[in-house]
Amino acid sequence: LKIGEAGEFDYSGSQALKALKEEGIRTILINPNIATVQTSDGMADDVYFLPVTPYFVEEVIKKERPDGILVAFGGQTALNCAVALYRAGVFEQYHVQVLGTPVQSIIDTEDREIFKVKLDQIGVLSARSVACTSMAEALAAGETIGFPIIVRAAFALGGLGSGFANNLDELGDLARQALTTSDQILVEESLKGWKEVEYEVVRDQFDNCITVCNMENFDPIGIHTGESIVVAPSQTLSNREYHKLRSIGIKTIRHLGIVGECNIQYALDPASEDYRVIEVNARLSRSSALASKATGYPLAFVAAKLSLGYSLAELKNSVTQTTSAFFEPALDYVVVKLPRWDLGKFSGVNRQIGSAMKSVGEVMAIGKSFEEAIQKGLRMLDTGKRGFVANRPEEGLNNAAIDQLLSEPNEERIFAINHAFEAGYTLEQVHQLTRIDHWFL
């Protein structure tokens, strides 16, 4: 088990099992993690404590002969496994129906080259990029697009193997590293400093589609969502921007043919309404666990029911008990998610945070205002801080050190902002160094 493969998918997995049980369906769960809720007695009818790899999953299918399989509830590991089984013809051979989003749609979102083509078909903008399978291709792509660029691996979880390059040498190092984790990498224009916005979108097989929650990263593009403070609903988008991104999201998800739940991530230019679609996760992600708890809309539960062929209009929201599942939640409160790191536990670790995820956990705080929610969250992280202000003064913090903390973020960046204000920095100076929106600052 690695970071990003346990708790958040436990939430979606156990919700899905509950939904199936309610329908009187016999469930078989494959999960190597013994310390999860979904593997508890009585959740699933049968549990196999096996690695989620094509070999073991095929053996279970051979033995149990199930009618259908759900693949979107186990994170990236489960998706990659499903794609391998689909390509090997295993589902066909044993007559197992993939419920929910078809495997071809999963491939369309995960294979960066096909994904771009799909978005081009409906005129949705994505970052200028080149999919590469070798070092030579990657270096050539860098020359074409121009620096700075970001390198990302296909079929990867938590931004594994990704990073920023400012010249050919850095690109060479990154590409070499990324190609060890994946056989396809993406070299694309850097949108560092743009806003990062996410929408959770739900669609049924009858093409009904709603957005359940939109979230905005406190940090601009360049820091992985799992490493960033996330605010829901978004606070700095205008009404036009919000609806523009919402309609693009719905158009994209319909075109990709997703059934159930997915999340779409955007980069938005703070100076204009220019945008790029960064990616679509055709599965329940860490963000969807957050969105479910933040809005009171049980995303995984609803997604499991939609996979069985229900429409959104037929389902009730099992949390509110009054509204139907075809109803977009409206929030009159602010939710803030803060990541927690334990980088101090590992010797020799690089403290800088960027496009690959290092956080080991997170807290969620709810308040009437952004200020209240973030203050609660910082105290809940349990790292000995009293909140945003009034912490013990740090030693040796001169302006040069503050500048570095703001422009090359590590896990203390949020506190560096306060140090900067106390040292007399103006709002504009802090914005120039961090690219964090003026509203938040």
Side-chain angles (χ1 to χ4, degrees):
L1 287 172
K2 301 189 286 293
I3 284 181
E5 276 187 2
E8 51 269 43
F9 305 122
D10 189 22
Y11 178 75
S12 49
S14 36
Q15 290 269 334
L17 287 167
K18 265 189 209 164
L20 295 170
K21 193 141 244 187
E22 203 175 87
E23 297 294 321
I25 294 169
R26 178 164 173 262
T27 51
I28 300 149
L29 170 72
I30 305 179
N31 184 341
N33 187 357
I34 204 159
T36 49
V37 175
Q38 59 186 288
T39 49
S40 310
D41 197 30
M43 282 296 276
D45 293 303
D46 281 304
V47 180
Y48 286 83
F49 286 109
L50 294 171
V52 180
T53 59
Y55 170 77
F56 287 112
V57 176
E58 183 178 354
E59 290 300 309
V60 173
I61 289 175
K62 216 182 279 184
K63 180 178 165 220
E64 294 279 356
R65 298 295 166 118
D67 305 309
I69 186 166
L70 289 164
V71 301
F73 297 90
Q76 192 69 41
T77 314
L79 282 197
N80 290 354
C81 178
V83 169
L85 289 166
Y86 171 76
R87 286 186 168 149
V90 172
F91 297 145
E92 220 171 354
Q93 188 186 338
Y94 297 103
H95 309 291
V96 182
Q97 198 184 337
V98 177
L99 303 175
T101 303
V103 180
Q104 191 51 55
S105 297
I106 294 170
I107 295 170
D108 294 348
T109 61
E110 291 289 327
D111 184 305
R112 305 293 187 184
E113 205 148 295
I114 305 176
F115 184 56
K116 262 186 71 101
V117 173
K118 282 280 185 193
L119 292 182
D120 287 345
Q121 287 167 0
I122 49 169
V124 169
L125 303 177
S126 55
R128 285 186 306 124
S129 63
V130 182
C132 312
T133 50
S134 69
M135 280 296 289
E137 284 179 25
L139 294 172
E143 294 280 0
T144 321
I145 295 172
F147 294 92
I149 49 187
I150 181 172
V151 172
R152 303 193 299 146
F155 300 96
L157 173 82
L160 190 71
S162 66
F164 289 90
N166 296 311
N167 52 49
L168 277 174
D169 293 346
E170 288 179 18
L171 174 59
D173 293 345
L174 270 176
R176 196 171 303 114
Q177 222 176 344
L179 282 164
T180 57
T181 59
S182 175
D183 48 15
Q184 185 198 44
I185 62 169
L186 204 68
V187 176
E188 69 179 30
E189 62 177 327
S190 161
L191 301 167
K192 244 186 176 167
W194 287 30
K195 286 182 193 182
E196 188 165 351
V197 185
E198 286 182 71
Y199 283 69
E200 295 293 321
V201 188
V202 176
R203 176 182 175 271
D204 66 20
Q205 65 185 39
F206 308 102
D207 215 22
N208 297 314
C209 209
I210 62 168
T211 59
V212 170
C213 181
N214 97 309
M215 294 169 266
E216 169 178 31
N217 285 8
F218 175 81
D219 299 288
I221 293 263
I223 292 184
H224 190 279
T225 312
E227 303 282 72
S228 178
I229 295 170
V230 176
V231 188
S234 59
Q235 302 293 305
T236 73
L237 298 192
S238 68
N239 199 30
R240 259 180 61 152
E241 289 170 328
Y242 171 82
H243 283 288
K244 178 178 178 173
L245 296 183
R246 178 181 176 276
S247 54
I248 291 165
I250 288 176
K251 184 161 92 173
T252 307
I253 280 32
R254 283 184 166 151
H255 183 62
L256 290 166
I258 282 161
V259 176
E261 194 273 348
C262 70
N263 116 319
I264 181 165
Q265 297 171 5
Y266 300 95
L268 182 68
D269 181 7
S272 70
E273 284 188 6
D274 199 11
Y275 73 94
R276 302 278 187 280
V277 169
I278 305 173
E279 66 177 352
V280 170
N281 277 323
R283 57 179 169 88
L284 287 116
S285 61
R286 180 179 274 206
S287 312
S288 39
L290 172 75
S292 300
K293 295 165 190 174
T295 57
Y297 187 103
L299 283 167
F301 188 85
V302 171
K305 293 269 187 170
L306 296 179
S307 304
L308 297 173
Y310 282 96
S311 80
L312 276 166
E314 290 174 90
L315 297 175
K316 268 180 94 163
N317 177 335
S318 54
V319 174
T320 60
Q321 292 291 341
T322 51
T323 51
S324 91
F326 199 13
F327 190 83
E328 298 194 356
L331 307 191
D332 58 353
Y333 50 88
V334 177
V335 178
V336 174
K337 179 219 84 176
L338 292 108
R340 151 117 197 210
W341 292 270
D342 278 317
L343 301 181
K345 285 186 180 172
F346 307 100
S347 58
V349 72
N350 174 7
R351 298 285 288 263
Q352 205 172 333
I353 57 179
S355 61
M357 197 162 91
K358 295 179 187 173
S359 67
V360 290
E362 51 194 25
V363 300
M364 177 178 99
I366 299 184
K368 287 193 176 65
S369 65
F370 171 69
E371 294 88 337
E372 179 188 341
I374 196 158
Q375 175 72 352
K376 277 185 184 172
L378 289 170
R379 294 170 66 108
M380 273 200 300
L381 281 172
D382 214 24
T383 49
K385 300 285 190 198
R386 296 174 186 173
F388 182 63
V389 293
N391 296 309
R392 290 188 197 87
E394 306 255 336
E395 273 150 45
L397 255 194
N398 52 18
N399 284 16
I402 291 175
D403 282 2
Q404 190 179 356
L405 271 175
L406 292 178
S407 55
E408 298 173 15
N410 69 10
E411 76 277 20
E412 296 282 319
R413 155 129 113 183
I414 176 86
F415 302 109
I417 294 172
N418 180 45
H419 296 317
F421 287 144
E422 289 188 344
Y425 282 56
T426 64
L427 207 64
E428 192 49 45
Q429 278 173 300
V430 177
H431 172 71
Q432 288 301 332
L433 288 163
T434 59
R435 287 287 173 226
I436 292 170
D437 191 275
H438 287 90
W439 188 87
F440 289 125
L441 295 176

